[in-house]
Amino acid sequence: MHMPQNANQRITVPVVYIMAMFMAVMDTTIVNVALPTIAHEFHTRPGEIGLVSSAYLISLTIFIPVSGWLGDRLGGKLALLGSIAVFTIASALCGLSTDFTMLVIFRIMQGIGGAIMTPVGLSMLFRVYPPAERVRIAGIIAIFTAIAPALGPILGGLFTTYLSWRMVFFVNVFIGTLICLYGALQLTKHTQRHPGKFDWQGFCLSGLGLGMTMYAISEGSLIGWAHPVVLCTLIIGILLLIGMVITESKSPYPLVNLHLLRNRLFTLCTSLYGLGSISYLGALYLAALFLQDVQGKSALQAGLTTFPSAIGVVLGGQLVARKLYRRFGPRRIVVVGLLVIALTLICMSRVTLYTNLWYIRLVMFGLGLGVAAVFISSQTASMATIDKIRTGQASSIFNSSKQLGSAIGVAISTILLSSLTYPNGTNTHNTVQLPGYHAGFLAGALTAALSLVVALMIRDDDARQSMAKAK
C-alpha cells in the first residue's frame, strides 16, 4: 500500500531531525572528556585547549541567525541535508587533524553546520505537524535529546580510554552519513516564499555581536573579566547587538525578525528555554567537575552518575506529552518544573567529599524531571501562535536563546568556582572547591526560582491550539 506523501514526511522529517539533533547535542559533551588527551598529544597548554569547545560554540552562535533565511532560500531539504553534510565532513577533518590549529579551524566549520541544521530541522518539523500534535512529537524528541548529552561523556570516556580521542569525531561521520543517505531518499523538497535579499548588515551585526558576546562570556570566566581582551569584546559585542536591534527593526527583510518578540507567548517561552538552559547546563557542568575534581571519580564514572538526569528527562517528557500538557496547559507545568529544578539544585548544593553517589543519581533524576516539564512545555507552546511562514525565523531566535543560556550557565559556574576556591592540605586531591560548587548549584536554583516570574506571565489561552486534541 502506497503511503501518502504528507504521511511519509510526518515520519521522515522527525527521523532526520532527531538523528541530527542527537549527533549535534552529543558532540557538545563527548568532546569535553577527550580534551586532556588532545592537549597532551598536541602539546597544548591547559588554558588554550578550551578553544576546541569554545570555537565550536562561538561559530554556532554566529551562524544561527542565518538559518532561517537559508532554509527559506534553499528550501528545507537542501538546507538541512547540506548543513548535516558540512557537519559530517568537518567531523572527519577534526578526527584527521595533525595539529591544534587544524582542529580549531575544523571545529569552527562544524559549528557552521550545527548552527544551520538545528533551527532548519525544527522549522520543518513545525510545518509538518500542526500545533495540536506538537506536544506528542516533542515528547519523542526529548528521549533522544536528553540521552545524547548524558551519553556523550560515557562514550567519550570509553573512546579516549580504550581506542583513540579521534573516535569522538569519527562517530559523527557514521551517523551523519546515514542521515544524509536516508534524507536524500525520503525527504521531499519544500519551497518557501522568497525571503528577499540577504541582509548582510543584519548578519554582520547579529553574528559578530552574538559571537563576541559569547567569546567574552566563555573566556571571561577563564582569564578574568578585567582582562582587556574580554572587556573589549564584551563591550563591542553589546554595542553590535544594540545596533542590530535598531537596524533590524527598520529593515523590510530582516535576518533576525525582532517583530516576532511582540508575540507574548513566543517571547515568554523563548526566555524560559534560555533561563532553563542556564540552570540545567550549568548544573551538569558542575556535577561532572565535582565528581572528578573533588570525589576523584573517573570521567566514565562521572558520566554514569549524571546519566540519571537523562532518564528523568525521558520519563518526565513522556508524562508531560501524553498526560499532563493538554490537561493542565504550559503555565502550571512550567511552574512546577522550575520549582523541582530549584529544589534539586538546592539539594546538590549540600554535596560533600563523602556524599554517596546514589544520592547524587537520585537528585540528577529529579533534575531531569523538572527540566522535561520546562523544556517540552516551552518548546510546544512557543510556536502555537506563529504562522508557518515565520517558523524559520522564529526557530533561529528560539535556538539562540538555548546557546546563550548554556554559555551563561557554564560561565557563572566557572566564575564561582574560580573565585571561591581554597586549598586544603588534608584532602588527597589538589584543591577543595566545595564553596564554589555549592554557590554554583545555588546560582542555578536562584535562576530557576526567578524564572517563575516569567512562567507566571504565560496565559494558557494563548497556547490553546497546542493543547487541543489531535485529530
Side-chain angles (χ1 to χ4, degrees):
M1 182 178 177
H2 179 69
M3 183 180 289
Q5 189 179 51
N6 187 55
N8 179 51
Q9 293 308 289
R10 287 162 65 87
I11 297 172
T12 303
V13 172
V15 168
V16 172
Y17 175 72
I18 286 169
M19 290 178 69
M21 277 289 292
F22 183 88
M23 178 175 66
V25 173
M26 185 174 69
D27 185 80
T28 59
T29 57
I30 194 173
V31 174
N32 291 338
V33 178
L35 290 181
T37 304
I38 295 172
H40 177 74
E41 182 166 327
F42 289 154
H43 307 290
T44 306
R45 288 178 295 180
E48 294 178 348
I49 194 61
L51 272 175
V52 174
S53 294
S54 60
Y56 173 78
L57 292 174
I58 292 166
S59 174
L60 200 71
T61 307
I62 289 173
F63 287 94
I64 280 179
V66 180
S67 60
W69 183 90
L70 203 61
D72 291 342
R73 183 70 179 83
L74 300 179
K77 178 179 180 178
L78 184 57
L80 179 58
L81 294 184
S83 59
I84 293 171
V86 169
F87 187 92
T88 303
I89 293 168
S91 296
L93 293 172
C94 285
L96 295 170
S97 296
T98 56
D99 60 50
F100 181 69
T101 302
M102 284 179 64
L103 181 57
V104 171
I105 291 171
F106 294 138
R107 283 289 278 172
I108 293 171
M109 182 178 169
Q110 249 191 329
I112 296 172
I116 295 167
M117 69 184 180
T118 304
V120 170
L122 183 63
S123 174
M124 290 175 67
L125 200 68
F126 284 147
R127 285 178 180 137
V128 171
Y129 284 88
E133 297 182 32
R134 289 174 188 168
V135 66
R136 179 171 60 87
I137 199 68
I140 297 171
I141 291 171
I143 296 174
F144 297 92
T145 54
I147 291 174
L151 190 62
I154 298 173
L155 289 179
L158 289 172
F159 289 152
T160 305
T161 304
Y162 299 108
L163 294 173
S164 167
W165 64 265
R166 298 178 187 274
M167 283 299 299
V168 305
F169 296 108
F170 288 147
V171 69
N172 292 335
V173 178
F174 173 72
I175 299 172
T177 302
L178 286 180
I179 302 171
C180 286
L181 289 173
Y182 176 75
L185 293 171
Q186 297 296 325
L187 281 176
T188 58
K189 290 184 179 179
H190 169 81
T191 54
Q192 185 67 4
R193 67 178 180 87
H194 197 285
K197 63 180 181 179
F198 186 73
D199 179 13
W200 284 102
Q201 189 176 27
F203 171 65
C204 292
L205 290 171
S206 64
L208 290 175
L210 287 169
M212 295 183 84
T213 303
M214 177 73 85
Y215 175 83
I217 292 171
S218 301
E219 292 301 304
S221 58
L222 298 175
I223 64 176
W225 292 96
H227 195 284
V229 173
V230 173
L231 282 175
C232 286
T233 51
L234 182 61
I235 292 169
I236 294 171
I238 292 172
L239 289 174
L240 287 172
L241 289 176
I242 293 171
M244 182 268 291
V245 171
I246 295 170
T247 57
E248 295 299 88
S249 299
K250 299 175 181 178
S251 173
Y253 299 106
L255 186 70
V256 182
N257 191 349
L258 297 177
H259 297 294
L260 290 169
L261 298 179
R262 295 175 181 173
N263 185 309
R264 177 189 176 93
L265 183 62
F266 173 74
T267 302
L268 292 174
C269 290
T270 300
S271 301
L272 286 167
Y273 204 64
L275 291 167
S277 297
I278 293 175
S279 296
Y280 183 46
L281 274 299
L284 287 183
Y285 172 78
L286 279 175
L289 278 182
F290 168 80
L291 289 163
Q292 293 176 79
D293 291 350
V294 177
Q295 292 203 338
K297 309 301 180 186
S298 67
L300 184 59
Q301 287 176 307
L304 290 170
T305 303
T306 57
F307 190 77
S309 67
I311 299 173
V313 172
V314 171
L315 296 179
Q318 300 315 298
L319 184 63
V320 171
R322 296 174 183 272
K323 301 291 184 182
L324 303 179
Y325 186 83
R326 289 191 178 93
R327 182 176 179 182
F328 296 105
R331 184 173 183 267
R332 282 174 284 185
I333 296 173
V334 170
V335 166
V336 172
L338 289 170
L339 289 173
V340 171
I341 291 173
L343 179 61
T344 54
L345 293 184
I346 289 172
C347 291
M348 282 300 295
S349 72
R350 309 300 297 169
V351 293
T352 68
L353 179 64
Y354 308 104
T355 300
N356 188 283
L357 291 183
W358 283 107
Y359 171 84
I360 297 175
R361 289 171 185 141
L362 180 62
V363 175
M364 286 287 108
F365 175 76
L367 176 64
L369 291 176
V371 166
V374 175
F375 281 12
I376 291 179
S377 299
S378 298
Q379 188 177 55
T380 302
S382 64
M383 305 284 181
T385 52
I386 301 291
D387 58 64
K388 288 186 177 182
I389 292 175
R390 293 180 174 82
T391 52
Q393 295 173 321
S395 62
S396 67
I397 295 174
F398 188 78
N399 279 277
S400 294
S401 73
K402 180 183 179 182
Q403 295 305 325
L404 283 174
S406 302
I408 292 169
V410 173
I412 291 172
S413 302
T414 308
I415 292 167
L416 292 172
L417 278 180
S418 60
S419 61
L420 294 174
T421 299
Y422 66 93
N424 187 333
T426 63
N427 185 36
T428 56
H429 306 290
N430 294 330
T431 56
V432 170
Q433 298 173 317
L434 283 177
Y437 284 105
H438 291 167
F441 287 123
L442 285 174
L446 180 62
T447 302
L450 293 175
S451 301
L452 288 168
V453 176
V454 180
L456 289 170
M457 294 170 68
I458 292 176
R459 295 192 294 246
D460 287 336
D461 283 343
D462 293 341
R464 192 62 59 188
Q465 286 188 65
S466 65
M467 295 166 60
K469 287 187 177 181
K471 296 180 181 179

